[in-house]
Amino acid sequence: MAHPLSAPAAPVIRRNTDLDRDAVWQARVDLAACFRAAARLGLSEGICNHLSAMVPGRDDLFLVNPYGWGFSEVTASRLLTCDFHGNVVEGSGTPEATAFFIHARVHKNVPRARAAFHTHMPNATALAMLDGPPLSWSIQSSLKFYGRTLVDEHYNGLALDETEGDRIAASIGDADIVFMKNHGVMVVGTTIAETWDDLYYLERACEAERLALSTGRKLKPVPSEIAARTYAQMRQGDGESARLHLESLKRQLDREAPEYRH
């Protein structure tokens, strides 16, 4: 299912001292922690799916997982630094082809997407398979996303060129969460921590929705005015909550799988 990216005819390998800054290494550690946590929670799929983040201080380089490695194998140093032309600027290996064509175009065309997490995580993907809106706003945890979601109805096969990458990027609009019908989900955010937090709670909300639907009984949505008010309450301090969530993950990994930092 996964495809290696064909390298440019004459790859440009740049050496740039600003890639050695502490902030860049911290981004690598944080992103590696997200990969490990996603694997532990069953949110990954073989050697497919991709999490990426822009290199701190750069608008032309992003970090992404290398082709052929599962989420549970990712470490801070194993992540690749790529430019928007398919060149691997730092790291060993190449990105998976759809990872490059999706994430390069999302980061290039949606500047606020400093992090972009694309998965086929089971519960959110199950809801993306259904006709109609994926979420009914019937449980408190889903209200974190009230007014922040969008549905991309136009599945178009594998993203193996810039045209499909541009289409996916354009489909995001002003949303933070995109249910990609017949495919999976895309979560974008301004920080790695906030994007991870959204990915995690999105899957939990979708799990509850799927379980409720499985009963065959009618769901009871939250009234729109209460949903909007609850959303506003949830968003107060959401950035700090997300930061603490990621710090908690890293403490757990430091105890149980500290090699993610290497």
Side-chain angles (χ1 to χ4, degrees):
M1 291 178 66
H3 297 70
L5 178 70
S6 298
V12 179
I13 307 300
R14 299 185 206 131
R15 303 299 177 197
N16 195 321
T17 55
D18 68 2
L19 298 183
D20 298 325
R21 292 183 295 113
D22 290 345
V24 177
W25 182 254
Q26 188 59 60
R28 285 178 166 274
V29 170
D30 288 351
L31 191 56
C34 293
F35 277 104
R36 293 300 185 98
R40 288 176 167 224
L41 293 169
L43 309 187
S44 60
E45 188 172 66
I47 58 169
C48 302
N49 296 186
H50 350 100
L51 313 181
S52 66
M54 294 296 290
V55 172
R58 299 293 295 257
D59 294 320
D60 59 339
L61 300 175
F62 65 101
L63 300 169
V64 70
N65 43 314
Y67 173 67
W69 297 86
F71 278 23
S72 64
E73 300 178 295
V74 171
T75 65
S77 61
R78 189 162 283 155
L79 291 166
L80 304 177
T81 302
C82 298
D83 67 14
F84 294 150
H85 305 290
N87 299 307
V88 175
V89 176
E90 188 174 48
S92 177
T94 185
E96 196 269 334
T98 62
F100 172 73
F101 287 114
I102 292 174
H103 291 255
R105 307 313 289 179
V106 166
H107 288 306
K108 183 176 188 296
N109 297 343
V110 188
R112 64 185 175 82
R114 297 297 294 181
F117 290 5
H118 170 58
T119 75
H120 302 165
M121 54 191 189
N123 294 290
T125 299
L127 297 185
M129 295 166 62
L130 303 178
D131 192 25
L135 291 170
S136 63
W137 315 114
S138 299
I139 187 171
Q140 177 175 285
S141 57
S142 70
L143 301 182
K144 174 178 168 67
F145 308 107
Y146 191 73
R148 300 174 61 208
T149 67
L150 181 146
V151 177
D152 175 8
E153 297 279 2
H154 305 292
Y155 177 68
N156 199 35
L158 299 183
L160 294 176
D161 54 44
E162 289 186 352
T163 299
E164 181 60 8
D166 285 338
R167 189 199 68 77
I168 290 171
S171 78
I172 294 172
D174 295 327
D176 297 324
I177 293 90
V178 180
F179 285 90
M180 306 165 77
K181 283 296 179 84
N182 313 112
H183 188 173
V185 294
M186 173 72 76
V187 179
V188 300
T190 56
T191 70
I192 292 171
E194 290 180 67
T195 309
W196 164 257
D197 197 61
D198 279 348
L199 187 81
Y200 171 83
Y201 284 108
L202 178 65
E203 179 66 356
R204 295 292 289 173
C206 290
E207 180 180 23
E209 181 100 12
R210 181 184 62 79
L211 287 171
L213 288 170
S214 72
T215 69
R217 297 174 61 183
K218 186 177 180 180
L219 275 60
K220 178 182 170 66
V222 175
S224 58
E225 65 275 11
I226 296 176
R229 177 159 54 86
T230 305
Y231 161 78
Q233 291 171 329
M234 286 183 161
R235 293 295 278 171
Q236 291 179 5
D238 210 20
E240 177 63 4
S241 178
R243 185 188 70 79
L244 293 173
H245 185 185
L246 183 56
E247 290 302 312
S248 173
L249 286 181
K250 289 189 290 185
R251 287 194 299 271
Q252 295 172 57
L253 289 168
D254 287 343
R255 291 192 299 271
E256 301 164 13
E259 72 278 2
Y260 83 96
R261 287 184 175 270
H262 299 157

